[in-house]
Amino acid sequence: MAMRRWMSVLPGLIAAAGCAQTVPTPPGARSEMTASTLTSVIAAARADAALRFGLAPEALKVVDAEPVTWSDGSLGCPQPGRQYTMALVPGFRVRLRGPAGLLDYHAGARGGLLLCPTDRAVEPSPRNAVR
């Protein structure tokens, strides 16, 4: 039910293409996004990409999806001129392939999903980083 609500408000939450785009957690879906799982992040990334490109979510191939540790609050997608919390942030990285090419989604474990342009994406902290 919460996912259906989210998908119904998602089109209005997406900004212009070409920049990192946070997909805000809609009201009422906070609890589901607070306890993000890799499965829920993959589903959210597919839903977002499907809406952006007018595709069925199943048309987007998952290239890879994994839990990661981001080196700061930018979730691996820093925007020029902005400052971020300097702390390790547990989260997820999901990369999808579709007709538009590779889509790199970054998320925090506490919620928040963003599509990061590939030219601005920063690799997550090494696997042996403190989690």
Side-chain angles (χ1 to χ4, degrees):
M1 182 69 166
M3 181 60 110
R4 194 173 318 132
R5 280 194 311 256
W6 181 6
M7 290 178 67
S8 69
V9 299
L10 198 54
L13 301 175
I14 298 172
C19 60
Q21 298 164 16
T22 300
V23 181
T25 303
R30 174 67 62 189
S31 61
E32 289 81 10
M33 290 305 294
T34 299
S36 292
T37 64
L38 185 56
T39 303
S40 67
V41 173
I42 292 169
R46 276 186 151 159
D48 178 67
L51 285 171
R52 287 177 192 274
F53 301 104
L55 302 168
E58 300 77 31
L60 297 151
K61 181 181 187 270
V62 177
V63 175
D64 56 33
E66 62 183 342
V68 298
T69 300
W70 300 110
S71 61
D72 61 29
S74 72
L75 301 180
C77 194
Q79 292 183 19
R82 293 197 59 190
Q83 295 182 350
Y84 298 95
T85 303
M86 299 306 294
L88 296 177
V89 179
F92 305 94
R93 181 180 195 182
V94 176
R95 292 191 293 179
L96 305 173
R97 182 164 311 279
L102 185 67
L103 302 170
D104 194 357
Y105 282 90
H106 299 191
R110 293 181 144 189
L113 174 71
L114 59 90
L115 173 58
C116 188
T118 55
D119 63 333
R120 204 165 67 219
V122 176
E123 291 297 312
S125 294
R127 290 193 183 273
N128 61 355
V130 177
R131 287 187 187 232

